[in-house]
Amino acid sequence: EAQVTQNPRYLITVTGKKLTVTCSQNMNHEYMSWYRQDPGLGLRQIYYSMNVEVTDKGDVPEGYKVSRKEKRNFPLILESPSPNQTSLYFCASSPGPTNTGELFFGEGSRLTVL
Amino acid sequence: AQSVTQLDSQVPVFEEAPVELRCNYSSSVSVYLFWYVQYPNQGLQLLLKYLSGSTLVKGINGFEAEFNKSQTSFHLRKPSVHISDTAEYFCAVSDRRVTGGGNKLTFGTGTQLKVEL
């Protein structure tokens, strides 16, 4: 089954404790991205990757890091989480440059930073 | 830069009634337009998209949307809703000029559709 898998789905952590949210897709997609969803703000892009070893900032990259060492994986790293990073996070993928806008989303990771 | 405005944060409607969810966009360039749906505790999935051609676009689950260039709108409609349509709906745009631009979506703030018996 074609899917985007995120882990963990739910996480409660404390300020300053480094964490990683993993994302893996099995569709051989070139493009992957991370969004955060906050009430009243919709989805905002954090980082994206056009291919292996190619990453770039989205609209709200502060406080986050990413890496793309393999095509299928695109982890989101919070080096020193803060309460304002409490949010619902989505990983998405799509085939590549010719894509006209269909993104395939994971089920989301709800993060709470105390 | 593009922006998307969804005028209604919540829309309650009775089952079998028609519904319209409004979306307006602002862009200095030509865009692709999308509606995504998010069911409870799930990720987003594509409902329909407008790329070119006919301004009336049909999607899954009986939804349709009409692109109106002069009013910069892309409203979503369904003639008769079901309980199972209860979800959050997001309008989105992307820049059609840029190679790979289809991958970079700007989303609206979402409209929660609540279908009641």
Side-chain angles (χ1 to χ4, degrees):
Chain A
E1 181 188 352
Q3 59 186 4
V4 178
T5 303
Q6 298 178 224
N7 280 297
R9 294 287 314 279
Y10 302 91
L11 179 63
I12 299 174
T13 190
V14 295
T15 299
K17 186 175 181 182
K18 180 180 179 180
L19 67 92
T20 299
V21 186
T22 63
C23 174
S24 180
Q25 51 92 6
N26 62 1
M27 296 169 279
N28 201 36
H29 284 170
E30 291 186 7
Y31 181 92
M32 297 185 74
S33 60
W34 278 100
Y35 288 84
R36 59 178 289 173
Q37 181 181 10
D38 300 291
L41 297 176
L43 279 84
R44 295 176 292 168
Q45 191 182 59
I46 303 170
Y47 268 94
Y48 65 96
S49 169
M50 298 296 285
N51 215 322
V52 176
E53 302 292 1
V54 180
T55 63
D56 208 346
K57 297 177 180 179
D59 299 317
V60 288
E62 293 77 21
Y64 304 95
K65 287 175 58 177
V66 294
S67 68
R68 187 91 181 273
K69 293 182 171 50
E70 305 167 282
K71 198 171 187 178
R72 63 184 293 128
N73 296 323
F74 190 46
L76 179 70
I77 304 157
L78 286 72
E79 293 272 2
S80 182
S82 61
N84 64 12
Q85 293 178 296
T86 292
S87 187
L88 179 58
Y89 292 87
F90 287 101
C91 180
S93 72
S94 64
T98 59
N99 181 49
T100 50
E102 180 166 9
L103 300 181
F104 295 81
F105 283 84
E107 292 188 320
S109 297
R110 185 168 294 280
L111 171 65
T112 301
V113 184
L114 302 176
Chain B
Q2 301 124 27
S3 66
V4 178
T5 301
Q6 292 184 243
L7 297 168
D8 305 300
S9 60
Q10 294 187 28
V11 173
V13 62
F14 288 109
E15 193 173 38
E16 297 184 7
V19 71
E20 177 179 85
L21 306 184
R22 297 179 292 170
C23 172
N24 287 88
Y25 68 94
S26 173
S27 178
S28 58
V29 301
S30 186
V31 297
Y32 298 131
L33 293 155
F34 311 89
W35 277 98
Y36 276 79
V37 59
Q38 183 181 26
Y39 297 106
N41 298 315
Q42 295 185 25
L44 282 73
Q45 63 184 86
L46 183 66
L47 197 58
L48 50 79
K49 61 184 177 183
Y50 172 77
L51 306 181
S52 63
S54 173
T55 57
L56 183 63
V57 180
K58 294 191 183 298
I60 61 173
N61 300 336
F63 283 92
E64 62 182 32
E66 186 155 20
F67 170 55
N68 187 318
K69 188 174 182 179
S70 62
Q71 297 187 5
T72 59
S73 67
F74 191 54
H75 300 331
L76 181 70
R77 301 186 184 99
K78 187 170 183 179
S80 176
V81 295
H82 301 284
I83 289 286
S84 59
D85 293 322
T86 294
E88 189 154 21
Y89 293 79
F90 292 92
C91 183
V93 302
S94 68
D95 185 344
R96 66 188 303 149
R97 300 173 312 160
V98 177
T99 299
N103 296 299
K104 170 79 167 74
L105 269 59
T106 299
F107 286 89
T109 53
T111 297
Q112 179 66 45
L113 175 64
K114 184 173 182 182
V115 181
E116 303 169 349
L117 293 171

